[in-house]
Amino acid sequence: MKAIIRLTLVPIAIAIAVLACKSDDPQTPEDPELPENTIDSKDVFPALTFSQPVDLVQAPGDSSHFFVVEQGGAIKVFSNAANVSTSATFLDIKSKVRAGGERGLLGVAFHPDFKTNGYFFVNYTAGTPLKSVIARYKATSATQADASSEAVLLTFNQPYDNHNGGSMQFGKDGLLYIATGDGGSGGDPQNNAQNLKSHLGKILRVDVNGTTKGNYSIPADNPYATGTTGNLPEIYAYGLRNPWRISFDTGSDKLFAGDVGQNEREEIDIIVKGGNYGWRLKEGIDCYNPSSNCNADGLIDPVHDYNQDNGDRSITGGYVYRGTALPELAGKYIYGDYISGRIWALELDGNTRKSNTLIMEGKGAISSFGQDIKGEIYYLNYGEGKVMKVVNGNLN
């Protein structure tokens, strides 16, 4: 989660990184901007403030509540009402979580059958030496979890404190997709993202309803589900640096990832099974290691990337808008930048970038986006601890 402490890491990262060769930037000055005040954001739960919020979700089939993940190790729940005055603790595992910097409780995903089985899944860092933990918990009601119900699915070591990923999403296939960072430091010194025997720098995919691996199974069509080469069967895609938020488009079922860059570029990828997204060979569209003439055979370029020249230095992946309140955003991928506080709407033609429209500026430290059951989009202001909703600026 480089986004959370990017300001303190930049001098260190620059000192240890091999700078990438620069290409022509596809984000041109001609990219359109919406008329002033067309799109804005609103503090829709003004009485509520959260501590270091990093994820916002609704449980399947329940539009009456929201859940906010606090990095320190708690999940809060509150009523979806503008006049809500308090939130309650849904889960508290602070005693298990090793938090601070980019570590902590980093993501939650509710089982598609949560209403029936009460299962949900968390992604957190723990222990010395540091490791990532993917675990299942069980709720005793719609608003209360049993903190003693932990069942660990898998763990993997984290060689450094940063780049822990943390985002998790269920696909329409009922499988759990898990985003992992490259293990940290700068420049992926262990080349984890290209190593198919490492969980790091990947999108993992597991079947949480199976038990062949203990508390999960390997989907039969995972790229490395069978074979004797030692490649990890959980791997779905690879070559990622620090995917900070993944999401499925509920309209097309495309899997989007916002992958945080090193010192030059930030990128958005459409994740496909078996795809290699290039890190550390490439950073966005540029060669990184080696800094020129890198072998790009078989690598998948981002659907969009942008340089860091304007202070946009840490992408936060978002969601494709499928709501009804803002028809001008229909079908566009809404994402932002943690450092600059800018938010854009990316329009695609198939899997090709059509336009990228700046829709908001100065919106604070954007640590995560959220999407409600109706398809409306929200984001979290990490520094102020607020839940913000993307709204019509003329009606705000």
Side-chain angles (χ1 to χ4, degrees):
M1 188 174 56
K2 181 179 68 174
I4 299 305
I5 56 171
R6 177 74 191 215
L7 291 174
T8 60
L9 286 183
V10 167
I12 299 173
I14 290 175
I16 63 177
V18 179
L19 293 179
C21 61
K22 298 184 73 172
S23 302
D24 291 337
D25 192 338
Q27 182 179 335
T28 65
E30 288 73 32
D31 275 351
E33 294 186 17
L34 290 178
E36 186 175 1
N37 297 327
T38 299
I39 304 294
D40 204 349
S41 62
K42 180 180 181 180
D43 181 357
V44 285
F45 308 108
L48 302 183
T49 302
F50 300 93
S51 174
Q52 298 178 319
V54 293
D55 206 3
L56 173 73
V57 299
Q58 287 190 321
D62 181 7
S63 62
S64 64
H65 295 93
F66 275 102
F67 298 82
V68 169
V69 174
E70 295 185 329
Q71 189 180 350
I75 300 177
K76 297 297 182 69
V77 60
F78 60 93
S79 296
N80 182 15
N83 63 351
V84 61
S85 59
T86 60
S87 64
T89 299
F90 178 68
L91 177 72
D92 185 341
I93 54 170
K94 293 175 185 174
S95 61
K96 296 177 180 286
V97 173
R98 185 176 171 192
E102 295 184 25
R103 300 163 300 187
L105 179 57
L106 302 176
V108 64
F110 286 86
H111 193 286
D113 294 325
F114 173 74
K115 276 190 172 183
T116 301
N117 60 30
Y119 289 154
F120 64 98
F121 300 81
V122 296
N123 187 333
Y124 66 90
T125 55
T128 304
L130 189 68
K131 62 183 178 181
S132 283
V133 179
I134 312 300
R136 185 189 72 211
Y137 282 84
K138 185 176 177 64
T140 56
S141 73
T143 58
Q144 184 62 59
D146 179 0
S148 67
S149 65
E150 183 179 71
V152 174
L153 275 67
L154 70 157
T155 67
F156 42 91
N157 290 335
Q158 293 286 354
Y160 303 96
D161 288 348
N162 55 333
H163 302 182
N164 302 307
S167 186
M168 300 189 299
Q169 295 279 345
F170 277 95
K172 289 182 180 178
D173 53 13
L175 302 175
L176 180 62
Y177 294 71
I178 304 163
T180 73
D182 65 8
S185 186
D188 193 7
Q190 299 180 0
N191 201 25
N192 289 316
Q194 291 296 317
N195 180 5
L196 295 174
K197 295 175 175 61
S198 169
H199 289 101
L200 302 173
K202 310 295 191 299
I203 303 296
L204 311 177
R205 185 175 72 160
V206 300
D207 180 358
V208 300
N209 297 320
T211 57
T212 58
K213 298 279 284 184
N215 290 315
Y216 69 97
S217 293
I218 302 298
D221 64 336
N222 269 15
Y224 312 104
T226 59
T228 59
T229 60
N231 294 343
L232 294 176
E234 293 87 357
I235 293 173
Y236 182 77
Y238 64 106
L240 298 159
R241 184 179 180 276
N242 190 28
W244 186 242
R245 296 319 180 205
I246 61 174
S247 69
F248 281 97
D249 171 18
T250 58
S252 69
D253 206 32
K254 291 177 181 176
L255 177 57
F256 287 79
D259 196 16
V260 182
Q262 183 69 38
N263 294 311
E264 296 287 338
R265 309 196 72 83
E266 307 293 316
E267 70 182 80
I268 297 168
D269 298 305
I270 296 178
I271 303 297
V272 297
K273 183 172 65 176
N276 181 355
Y277 293 86
W279 178 251
R280 68 180 182 178
L281 289 164
K282 297 182 74 176
E283 177 189 10
I285 61 171
D286 290 340
C287 290
Y288 180 82
N289 187 356
S291 59
S292 61
N293 299 318
C294 56
N295 182 2
D297 290 347
L299 304 184
I300 300 175
D301 277 342
V303 68
H304 174 63
D305 77 342
Y306 59 89
N307 66 43
Q308 299 178 355
D309 293 349
N310 296 320
D312 305 309
R313 301 184 64 85
S314 197
I315 193 170
T316 298
Y319 288 83
V320 174
Y321 183 83
R322 296 296 178 185
T324 58
L326 301 167
E328 62 269 49
L329 297 183
K332 297 178 181 179
Y333 179 72
I334 312 304
Y335 72 99
D337 191 281
Y338 175 84
I339 298 301
S340 70
R342 294 189 180 100
I343 297 176
W344 296 268
L346 174 66
E347 184 178 10
L348 301 181
D349 182 1
N351 285 350
T352 302
R353 174 188 179 277
K354 184 176 180 181
S355 67
N356 186 59
T357 305
L358 179 67
I359 58 174
M360 282 184 268
E361 294 190 87
K363 294 303 179 179
I366 303 166
S367 58
S368 191
F369 286 83
Q371 187 171 45
D372 65 22
I373 290 172
K374 296 179 179 179
E376 302 298 331
I377 291 179
Y378 304 71
Y379 68 87
L380 296 173
N381 185 319
Y382 183 82
E384 297 181 6
K386 304 300 289 184
V387 177
M388 309 297 293
K389 185 177 183 180
V390 179
V391 298
N392 187 325
N394 295 317
L395 300 178
N396 192 7

